[in-house]
Amino acid sequence: MSYTRARLQFPGPPVKNFLIGNLDQTMANDVHEKWIQWNREYGQIFQTWNGLFSRVIYIGDPRIIAEIATSNWPKSAAQYDGFKPLDGDALFVQTNQDRWKMQSKRLAPAFQPSVIQSQYPCLAKHIGNYVKQLDAAARSNSVIDLSSLNILLSLDFIGDIAFGTSFNAINQGPDCRIAQLLEMILPELMKCGLFPLRGKIPIFEKTRIMNRAITELRDMAKDAVKDARRKDLTEDGNGKVKPDKKIFEILALQREADGNYTFNSQELCDNYVAFLVAGGDPTAHTMSFLVWQVLRNPAIFAQLRAEIDASIPYEAEVATLEHVKLPYLNMVLKETLRFSSPGFGTFRTCAKDTTYTEIPDYGKTLTSSILSDGDRANPSCEDPTSPSLTVREAALRLDCLGQGLAMLEMTLTLATLFRRYDLTLVPGFELEYMPSFTLKPKNGFPIRVTRREC
Ligand code: HEM
């Protein structure tokens, strides 16, 4: 009876049969394209079934998303439990509201703007290495996979600040162990998030490979915690940590008023791993998506180039913090996040009955009245006086603790990339999007780079 009522509550794709619901479609690799297609077909709210008793209701309207995010609907245990083998009890997967609030408050000091800016020297070092790879590709006129390079850069940077470990990812390339581990973990982890029973009863070989990779990764995080605590660099031992420390140290050395460490080793390990997974890939993929979009939009590219060229001297190998006050690049980044965000959603529980009387049909009204074309990237829409800004900001506001850190890495890297090189797409290449925990380029991003003349 209640199943029949729930079936009729929202539209959605037909189920294959009552037992498997829509799992044949939601577990497939092209699920991201299906989500978009269902949004177009069924509107801003639709549902799919994980068998007979469990359903997922999808919400695409930015205004409702913003309301859910700002009123902190609890994270859905059914889904986040699927991520717990990797992230333990970290903020990212925290479904207990009180613990989420407490952790959020305690982690916040390590992500303040001043702390983020103080990570610059570490980031600049890794971007310098990134530039060396691109210079070598330019000299030999060879094609380089920008998607892989962006992933390796993000791993080096996040590894450094979240683990205090040099992954040496850019130098090792495909042999980088951490990149291999994430490849084994992330696609399978997403499936376990969408269908947690898959993780709980690991009958598939892929799930068992994931579990072994998780153990290896978590062991590395445990070592990072031990190292940070062993060194205990706090000068006076009273919990006052100098702002130029890396994020992992700030957290490891943070103390409460009674002198005890704020986080126990387990919590640190959980959060370090979560930073790596939540922070590395999405930052890398956003950069790749941006370059792909921009190179296919000459007018946007020209405006972006003009802004960057006016701000960064040709001789600068890596852009500095002073160089990257770049409002247009910022808009293009936000538009990329709206158009093709690697962090494509959040799972929340609707704990009490909630009514939305007016659900706009995004596909038909919002796109035409507010955005010029919701299906086409267009940063110029982000005119600060435009009403669209609030809607777009709303869509982006999904409670990301690392947003400032990601913006720092993306802005500096992209500004450096566009200032230093001409980039040419490989003829016939089309970037395809694939959901793999985050939305990523399915087939890499081969590109040719040439050192600019001035
Ligand atoms: C462009 C890059 C990034 C994107 C698109 C992104 C996207 C997101 C999204 C959509 C969420 C909400 C996920 C959910 O509720 O399930 C989230 C949460 C989170 N992100 Fe990011 N993220 C990015 C970069 C980073 C970085 C660099 C870090 C950290 C080092 C980070 C750390 C986190 C954490 C800890 C959470 C959980 C926050 C909470 O529950 O309060 N993210 N991110």
Side-chain angles (χ1 to χ4, degrees):
M1 177 76 163
S2 57
Y3 171 75
T4 312
R5 252 204 314 268
R7 286 266 303 140
L8 296 173
Q9 202 172 9
F10 300 110
V15 295
K16 184 163 183 172
N17 63 51
F18 292 126
L19 290 178
I20 67 161
N22 299 100
L23 284 172
D24 58 320
Q25 300 169 77
T26 52
M27 288 286 121
N29 282 341
D30 64 348
V31 64
H32 188 261
E33 281 143 46
K34 290 211 183 83
W35 287 334
I36 294 172
Q37 181 198 318
W38 291 334
N39 175 278
R40 301 288 176 271
E41 202 171 332
Y42 302 110
Q44 286 296 51
I45 303 192
F46 61 89
Q47 63 187 3
T48 62
W49 287 86
N50 298 331
L52 195 54
F53 299 113
S54 148
R55 66 176 162 162
V56 179
I57 300 164
Y58 299 76
I59 299 185
D61 180 66
R63 280 172 279 197
I64 304 179
I65 296 171
E67 204 170 317
I68 292 170
T70 42
S71 51
N72 280 331
W73 283 19
K75 295 195 183 194
S76 158
Q79 266 69 38
Y80 288 92
D81 279 359
F83 301 146
K84 287 197 170 178
L86 177 71
D87 291 327
D89 206 28
L91 180 74
F92 188 67
V93 292
Q94 190 51 257
T95 52
N96 174 315
Q97 282 288 77
D98 292 334
R99 283 190 58 75
W100 179 84
K101 278 186 197 141
M102 187 184 70
Q103 278 199 21
S104 192
K105 201 168 145 207
R106 288 171 166 180
L107 286 168
F111 289 86
Q112 282 169 24
S114 61
V115 175
I116 287 173
Q117 300 243 323
S118 71
Q119 310 299 307
Y120 173 80
C122 169
L123 177 58
K125 179 181 79 183
H126 295 302
I127 297 180
N129 211 5
Y130 175 88
V131 162
K132 281 199 188 95
Q133 303 291 319
L134 290 165
D135 278 353
R139 274 195 306 275
S140 59
N141 192 27
S142 47
V143 170
I144 189 162
D145 182 357
L146 190 66
S147 167
S148 300
L149 190 60
N150 286 339
I151 294 172
L152 297 171
L153 168 68
S154 291
L155 284 179
D156 272 337
F157 177 49
I158 295 279
D160 218 333
I161 58 170
F163 274 52
T165 307
S166 176
F167 290 152
N168 209 11
I170 291 184
N171 292 340
Q172 290 182 4
D175 295 332
C176 169
R177 183 65 186 151
I178 205 88
Q180 292 169 350
L181 290 177
L182 291 177
E183 251 331 286
M184 291 178 222
I185 295 171
L186 296 181
E188 184 59 19
L189 193 69
M190 186 182 117
K191 291 188 175 163
C192 295
L194 290 173
F195 188 55
L197 203 57
R198 186 175 170 122
K200 286 195 181 118
I201 308 173
I203 51 171
F204 296 108
E205 176 62 7
K206 280 189 176 168
T207 316
R208 292 194 292 271
I209 292 175
M210 174 188 84
N211 287 340
R212 287 195 291 273
I214 286 176
T215 305
E216 194 176 329
L217 185 61
R218 288 188 59 89
D219 283 347
M220 292 165 90
K222 283 181 201 153
D223 288 343
V225 174
K226 275 192 217 138
D227 282 353
R229 288 268 161 93
R230 197 177 306 125
K231 285 183 209 150
D232 197 341
L233 300 170
T234 331
E235 278 171 356
D236 50 10
N238 67 0
K240 283 193 189 138
V241 179
K242 281 200 287 180
D244 59 347
K245 295 223 181 317
K246 291 181 188 162
I247 285 172
F248 83 101
E249 294 169 291
I250 296 176
L251 294 174
L253 305 179
Q254 191 172 306
R255 290 173 193 268
E256 295 299 287
D258 60 8
N260 289 324
Y261 285 125
T262 302
F263 295 98
N264 66 34
S265 303
Q266 182 73 31
E267 288 169 325
L268 281 174
C269 171
D270 292 346
N271 280 297
Y272 287 178
V273 172
F275 296 157
L276 182 72
V277 173
D281 263 20
T283 313
H285 301 328
T286 305
M287 293 195 286
S288 299
F289 294 158
L290 183 144
V291 175
W292 167 248
Q293 288 295 344
V294 157
L295 291 184
R296 292 155 66 246
N297 283 281
I300 292 170
F301 186 38
Q303 194 169 340
L304 187 58
R305 253 283 162 77
E307 181 185 71
I308 290 171
D309 286 0
S311 176
I312 306 176
Y314 175 70
E315 317 71 61
E317 190 183 75
V318 177
T320 65
L321 289 175
E322 274 310 299
H323 292 148
V324 291
K325 295 185 174 122
L326 302 168
Y328 192 69
L329 174 58
N330 206 281
M331 286 187 217
V332 179
L333 268 166
K334 286 188 175 167
E335 176 63 357
T336 305
L337 285 167
R338 180 195 71 81
F339 184 70
S340 51
S341 179
F344 40 73
T346 176
F347 296 99
R348 303 296 169 117
T349 300
C350 183
K352 57 179 179 4
D353 284 353
T354 306
T355 305
Y356 288 99
T357 45
E358 282 180 59
I359 297 165
D361 183 346
Y362 186 56
K364 297 194 184 76
T365 55
L366 197 64
T367 47
S368 54
S369 62
I370 297 181
L371 307 178
S372 64
D373 180 349
D375 284 346
R376 190 179 313 134
N378 181 5
S380 317
C381 270
E382 199 105 275
D383 171 355
T385 59
S386 153
S388 68
L389 190 67
T390 46
V391 178
R392 281 155 179 247
E393 292 291 345
L396 299 174
R397 207 184 317 145
L398 280 174
D399 283 347
C400 174
L401 183 75
Q403 216 174 81
L405 198 65
M407 287 307 271
L408 177 81
E409 179 185 337
M410 296 189 297
T411 314
L412 280 158
T413 308
L414 291 165
T416 301
L417 183 73
F418 288 127
R419 182 66 186 99
R420 199 171 169 87
Y421 306 101
D422 280 320
L423 307 145
T424 320
L425 296 173
V426 171
F429 173 78
E430 280 286 319
L431 188 141
E432 287 174 50
Y433 297 95
M434 183 173 101
S436 161
F437 190 71
T438 51
L439 188 68
K440 63 181 263 194
K442 182 179 180 180
N443 44 354
F445 187 9
I447 203 155
R448 223 175 265 284
V449 289
T450 326
R451 183 83 166 88
R452 292 178 70 198
E453 293 298 326
C454 61

